Amino acid sequence: MLTSSLLTELLCSLSIIGGLLLLGTFLRAKVKLFQKLFLPASVIGGFIGLLLGPMVLGDYAILRVPETYINDWSLLPGTLIVPIFAAVPLGMFMNRSPKAESGKKTAPNVLKAFALFAALSFMQSAIGFGTNLFFSSTGDYDLYRTFGYELSQGFCGGHGTAGAVGKIFEGLGLDYWATAQGVAVTTATIGIIGGGQLGRMMALSARYMGFRIGVLDPTPDCPTAQVADFQVTAEYDDITAIRELAEKSDVLTYEFENVNADAIDEVRALAAAPQGTDLLRVTQDRVNEKQFINDHGTPTAPWKAVNSVEELDSALDEIHYPAVLKTRSGGYDGHGQTVLKSDADLEKVRARADRGGGFPPSILEGFVDFAFEASILVAGNGKDYVTFPIVRNEHRNNILHMTIAPAEVSEAVAKEAHELALRLAQGFELAGILAIELFVTKDERVIVNELAPRPHNSGHYTIEACSFDQFDAHIRGIAGWPLEQPELLKPAVMVNVLGQHVAPTRALIAEHPEWSMHDYCKAEVRHDRKMGHITVLTNDTERTVADLERTGCWDDLK
């Protein structure tokens, strides 16, 4: 695949060749030498060497060592591969000259060719380094990012984005993320922001595909770090740390949506962010999220943005009780949410605001009289999209307890879930995975509750039950690889293992060979903390649910 980075490398190489050929026309005494030797050799050997040499040896084969980022200066030795590529064909060409026939030997000609292309290669690198140094000395970061860093990568065969010329190709609709610049694709490094269980399972999938993994997380030896090549230990909003992760990575992704979108935008000159930040910004704000969903022809619960108790009063006059008051941003597993069933609940909100608790920007959502909660996963690579089956979810204490795959729904409900998932994916030009939480009503309407722009707890069943799982789909999507429609190989039941369930489930593992046990390897076991999950493949999901409940491991949730 010709990416914009590869095309930039090509243009930079040809500019050097063209410049020297032009110089040759002014050196009249040497013009025949340039015509006979340099032009054919450029086509035969120099073209290949200049295009592939710095990329292959300089960055991907030798100089990318684990847990170490090699800066642009270390690409200089990599350019030695150029004369190796070019010297032999050029030497063979030189041996066809009259002087060669009169007694000149092959070896001296090959050495001359080696010296010629070594000089050419070092000249190309010197231009790249000079470009980098010049623009970095201006003190203007935007100028440096656009020209100094990126354009120098085109000359030096660097690991990062293509540069200013690459942006032109991006504008023409060509692939901007150079997955290892089209060479040795799976030697690229994926940097994951967030080191919990989702990042861990992303990393394991990426490992099987040959990618290297870095992670940013404040907890040393976090679950993702245990299976990664390196960890940047810092808070998620630490701009310096995000920049360090980007410098060591080829592409960035995240395992949760409360990531600093501005910080990701700042480092997109250093590492690609195929998911973009538009999706992130939409899903970080519940009002924006609801508006986006509605704008794409998909129903949600009735809602109103509220920024004060007075606005809440007015919204309740329209939406009525019962309703749910949620903060516009933040919160998960029920955090940041207040159920309002009567004026008594409203007075509690009012009293909290009067006591100095304030009233954060919020959204009021009406209750949906649903038959059950469901979800569907959709994966994309920026242009093609596939969906996983619709599944049924059961929550207890606002935390997902169990997922049953597939959900027993009519063909019409399954079709509507599939179609709305594709509409939203296309609206985002989705790269990676998007989880869509749903309500299915008694009259078979499908209503979107929330979106999650990453792998989802309700999709863990896919690891055992599908032809490829949600984590594989996410990695393939952000890598720009083709996606095949996933197939459900067998029905499954997934149940979460919270902190209080660790001991009882471990005690029963020996008695249940049908359990596929997943331990997230978190350092601290806490009540209601997700510590792992169990998946059971089955031909009778109802019976399997009953069998799991009979173990007594989850009696505290009844």
Side-chain angles (χ1 to χ4, degrees), residues 5-42:
S5 286
L6 195 58
L7 289 169
T8 302
E9 178 75 14
L10 169 62
L11 290 178
C12 291
S13 298
L14 290 178
S15 68
I16 296 296
I17 295 173
L20 288 182
L21 287 173
L22 184 63
L23 177 63
T25 63
F26 292 100
L27 302 176
R28 298 184 181 278
K30 301 292 183 180
V31 67
K32 291 184 179 180
L33 175 65
F34 274 83
Q35 288 175 340
K36 289 182 178 181
L37 303 182
F38 195 81
L39 182 57
S42 296

Side-chain angles (χ1 to χ4, degrees), residues 1-11 51-52 55 162 178 181-183:
M1 178 175 65
L2 267 184
T3 65
S4 60
S5 286
L6 195 58
L7 289 169
T8 302
E9 178 75 14
L10 169 62
L11 290 178
L51 185 59
L52 300 181
M55 283 192 287
Q181 299 199 33
V183 181

Side-chain angles (χ1 to χ4, degrees), residues 268-304:
R268 288 176 76 174
L270 306 177
Q275 293 164 276
T277 52
D278 291 342
L279 170 62
L280 198 56
R281 287 187 168 91
V282 167
T283 55
Q284 285 176 342
D285 186 310
R286 290 186 171 91
V287 170
N288 293 342
E289 181 177 87
K290 288 289 192 294
Q291 190 65 61
F292 183 91
I293 295 168
N294 294 159
D295 287 346
H296 285 78
T298 304
T300 61
W303 60 275
K304 282 286 184 182

Side-chain angles (χ1 to χ4, degrees), residues 420-452:
L420 72 84
L422 293 180
R423 283 198 303 272
L424 295 175
Q426 290 163 359
F428 284 120
E429 295 184 353
L430 178 69
I433 204 95
L434 175 69
I436 306 170
E437 298 180 20
L438 306 168
F439 295 125
V440 178
T441 65
K442 296 173 184 176
D443 59 355
E444 295 199 330
R445 290 181 297 127
V446 181
I447 296 172
V448 173
N449 180 24
E450 291 185 345
L451 306 178

Side-chain angles (χ1 to χ4, degrees), residues 450-472:
E450 291 185 345
L451 306 178
R454 34 102 182 145
H456 194 261
N457 194 171
S458 68
H460 292 348
Y461 78 93
T462 61
I463 297 173
E464 284 81 20
C466 292
S467 52
F468 63 90
D469 65 54
Q470 64 167 337
F471 302 100
D472 296 336

Side-chain angles (χ1 to χ4, degrees), residues 506-533:
R506 285 180 178 172
L508 291 178
I509 289 176
E511 301 175 23
H512 292 279
E514 76 277 13
W515 286 6
S516 293
M517 187 76 178
H518 296 257
D519 190 322
Y520 303 151
C521 298
K522 295 182 178 179
E524 182 182 357
V525 178
R526 293 200 303 266
H527 188 86
D528 280 354
R529 188 185 195 193
K530 293 175 182 176
M531 302 300 298
H533 71 269

Side-chain angles (χ1 to χ4, degrees), residues 323-379:
V324 182
L325 181 66
K326 302 178 181 180
T327 55
R328 285 185 64 155
S329 61
Y332 63 95
D333 290 343
H335 297 286
Q337 302 183 16
T338 303
V339 176
L340 304 177
K341 296 182 178 179
S342 65
D343 288 343
D345 294 324
L346 176 60
E347 287 306 314
K348 292 178 183 177
V349 174
R350 193 188 308 277
R352 185 173 64 227
D354 291 342
R355 287 195 304 268
F359 193 97
S362 302
I363 182 173
L364 183 71
E365 299 179 14
F367 260 42
V368 175
D369 185 18
F370 58 86
F372 61 89
E373 293 179 86
S375 60
I376 189 168
L377 300 170
V378 58

